[in-house]
Amino acid sequence: MFSERLLDHFQHPRNARDLPAPATTVEVSNPACGDILRLAARIESGVVADAGYKCRGCTASIAAGSALTELMVGCTRSDLMAIDAAAVEHAVGGLTAETRHAAVLCVDAVRALAGKLRAE
């Protein structure tokens, strides 16, 4: 049911941690399934130098959060806004129709983070 890449991100999550200040942090949830994703980024010279996440949710959401943090490093704010559900899905080797909500949760989080970066 799950790809090898997704299972690897789930079993060996990357960047599963909070980042200390002055990192920017957001938290989003999916009211339909109850998954919660907290996403943080540290910006240096206009690009994401470090990213971290914490997720309470299903296997797919935990794995997608891990993959998202890897996608984020090196991104500008506009690059973050360009991350879409297809990019997250590709990063974990695909999602089933039942687990695509994980990619949407990630997009909601990265867009909220990018919006907060503009405001700061």
Side-chain angles (χ1 to χ4, degrees):
M1 176 175 168
F2 294 120
S3 72
E4 284 185 39
R5 236 183 317 179
L6 186 143
L7 289 174
D8 184 53
H9 274 284
F10 175 72
Q11 293 168 343
H12 309 285
R14 284 65 145 181
N15 307 306
R17 66 197 189 299
D18 288 319
L19 296 180
T24 300
T25 303
V26 297
E27 187 170 291
V28 297
S29 63
N30 180 331
C33 68
D35 291 357
I36 298 171
L37 178 63
R38 185 168 57 235
L39 185 64
R42 184 172 46 82
I43 308 299
E44 292 179 3
S45 301
V47 299
V48 176
D50 195 10
Y53 84 109
K54 293 279 185 105
C55 183
R56 191 184 82 213
C58 66
T59 300
S61 289
I62 293 167
S66 172
L68 175 62
T69 61
E70 291 189 325
L71 290 173
M72 291 171 56
V73 174
C75 286
T76 63
R77 183 188 169 282
S78 61
D79 294 337
L80 292 175
M81 291 299 290
I83 294 173
D84 61 9
V88 175
E89 187 172 345
H90 177 75
V92 294
L95 293 167
T96 64
E98 297 82 21
T99 59
R100 285 202 179 103
H101 69 277
V104 173
L105 183 69
C106 287
V107 170
D108 290 347
V110 77
R111 297 253 165 88
L113 184 77
K116 197 170 178 183
L117 292 174
R118 179 181 59 220
E120 293 180 349

